[in-house]
């Protein structure tokens, strides 16, 4: 639940070995997809590129003890369902809002990964002219896609007839993110491409 | 820590009694300033005016028990310091970010209410062209002000010489919010006035 950021790790990733040509695989680095995104956000923040944070896990606190003056100890609490997506923030004046999901599937992304309230939240964000999307990670393929909320919402509403989004549709309607070292998941590159596409269709 | 929203309470506030002329006082309604803001956000959300949420309280979870299959029980956790402000979201394509604070003082607002990391976060937001501000509640006076982060940051950095912001300065540099019924704290009115002021000075 809690993420520890390695201190000063950015420096290591800024200068990758030139001979390193193998595709980057999250699993082999021992980091989860979420941790990779958090680290990318840290990269964007420290360089003044964007201010994006993961929201804390919502917890309903029932009982708190005070064993010492310095630190309150929560002794009874429960997980609550979030009413929004996990990530939001600001990038060049634009409001960004997204959810990060992963699957082991190789040919499609299951709708079971998304909750009704997240879809509703993304609809609300779009109606306020915010930029809403999902980052989809196919862990078996080591591929990550930016996929616009507008497409996800339409497909999610077809979920009585289909249980997932085909990879071929995601390839067509989304933007693949080339994984890197600094940042690990340069998703803002995809956001910029997406914003340019939006401008052209206006 | 957790807020229970009264169901369907919006209806009650939409039709205040016409004879009701007294100033609205939060205390007498048994709601905290935070609850009033949350309810205002709920009002804005359900009417499609803006999508603003309070972030969950950050908690470091150490131990989780599973007494039944249905519900995980957190049995050891600690409060963590937030790295951002409490509220953010999107309003007509604009990224909004704010913190809500209150004081019992009658003539000034103490800096002790603000943390260094919140000030840093607001600076980051401003550098990305987000709209950052604080809502300041003088509980003894029953007055609420919108106060821009740009002003707060400057004054906060003078805190070696002063320990607070004078009410007269807040009156001059901020925008007073006329408290209402629906929403209780119509702070987006102040945001709109502020945005108009920004446009004029551009």
């Amino acid at each position: 639940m809690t993420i520890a950021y390695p201190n000063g790790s950015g420096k290591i990733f800024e200068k990758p070995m030139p001979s390193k040509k193998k595709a980057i695989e999250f699993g082999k680095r021992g980091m989860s997809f979420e941790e990779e995104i958090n680290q990318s956000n840290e990269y964007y923040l420290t360089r003044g590129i964007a201010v994006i944070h993961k929201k804390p896990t919502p917890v309903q606190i029932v009982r708190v003890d005070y064993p010492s003056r310095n630190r309150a100890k929560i002794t009874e609490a429960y997980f609550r369902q979030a009413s929004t997506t996990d990530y939001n923030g600001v990038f060049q004046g634009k409001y960004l809002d997204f959810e990060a999901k992963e699957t082991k599937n190789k040919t499609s992304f299951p709708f079971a990964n998304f909750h009704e309230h997240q879809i509703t939240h993304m609809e609300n964000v779009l109606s306020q002219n915010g930029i809403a999307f999902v980052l989809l990670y196919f862990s078996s393929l080591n591929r990550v896609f930016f996929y616009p909320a507008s497409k996800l919402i339409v497909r999610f509403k077809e979920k009585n007839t289909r249980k997932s989004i085909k990879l071929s549709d995601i390839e067509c309607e989304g933007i693949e993110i080339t994984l890197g070292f600094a940042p690990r998941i340069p998703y803002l590159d995809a956001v910029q491409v997406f914003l340019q596409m939006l401008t052209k269709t206006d």
Side-chain angles (χ1 to χ4, degrees), chain A:
Chain A
M1 286 298 157
T2 54
I3 310 302
Y5 297 109
N7 286 327
S9 59
K11 277 185 184 168
I12 297 165
F13 308 132
E14 272 175 1
K15 292 179 182 175
M17 295 298 288
S19 63
K20 183 98 180 177
K21 283 187 184 170
K22 271 189 69 181
I24 296 151
E25 290 178 49
F26 297 137
K28 296 204 175 162
R29 290 168 159 270
M31 269 200 180
S32 72
F33 185 47
E34 185 182 300
E35 286 168 330
E36 297 279 349
I37 292 171
N38 290 341
Q39 200 170 82
S40 302
N41 287 340
E42 191 71 12
Y43 175 93
Y44 287 136
L45 181 66
T46 53
R47 279 153 190 84
I49 298 166
V51 182
I52 317 281
H53 289 275
K54 183 175 187 297
K55 293 188 183 179
T57 304
V59 160
Q60 184 180 9
I61 296 159
V62 176
R63 192 199 305 262
V64 181
D65 285 353
Y66 298 88
S68 77
R69 277 193 194 177
N70 295 333
R71 208 172 189 197
K73 182 180 176 184
I74 299 162
T75 54
E76 186 181 353
Y78 300 93
F79 294 103
R80 284 190 301 162
Q81 194 170 55
S83 51
T84 67
T85 48
D86 268 358
Y87 296 89
N88 75 354
V90 58
F91 169 55
Q92 296 176 0
K94 305 267 182 202
Y95 175 81
L96 301 193
D97 193 300
F98 66 97
E99 189 70 28
K101 299 284 190 187
E102 71 182 274
T103 184
K104 288 178 180 170
N105 287 18
K106 292 179 180 180
T107 56
S108 67
F109 208 97
F111 286 128
N113 280 288
F114 299 99
H115 303 293
E116 196 78 39
H117 68 270
Q118 292 173 327
I119 301 292
T120 304
H121 174 70
M122 286 189 258
E123 285 183 303
N124 291 338
V125 168
L126 291 181
S127 73
Q128 284 299 320
N129 291 316
I131 311 296
F133 57 93
V134 287
L135 295 180
L136 303 179
Y137 174 41
F138 285 88
S139 59
S140 303
L141 308 173
N142 196 38
R143 295 177 73 184
V144 177
F145 293 88
F146 167 101
Y147 192 69
S150 55
K151 303 287 183 190
L152 177 69
I153 291 162
V154 171
R155 293 203 174 271
F156 188 83
K157 289 183 176 171
E158 298 166 353
K159 76 173 187 296
N160 290 333
T161 49
R162 286 194 59 86
K163 297 283 175 227
S164 63
I165 315 172
K166 283 188 284 184
L167 173 59
S168 57
D169 288 330
I170 293 169
E171 286 175 324
C172 178
E173 297 170 341
I175 300 166
E176 185 157 6
I177 297 165
T178 308
L179 305 180
F181 288 95
R184 314 288 279 265
I185 304 169
Y187 67 88
L188 288 182
D189 295 354
V191 169
Q192 270 179 316
V193 170
F194 179 70
L195 290 174
Q196 283 162 8
M197 286 160 54
L198 279 187
T199 314
K200 278 181 190 164
T201 53
D202 273 353

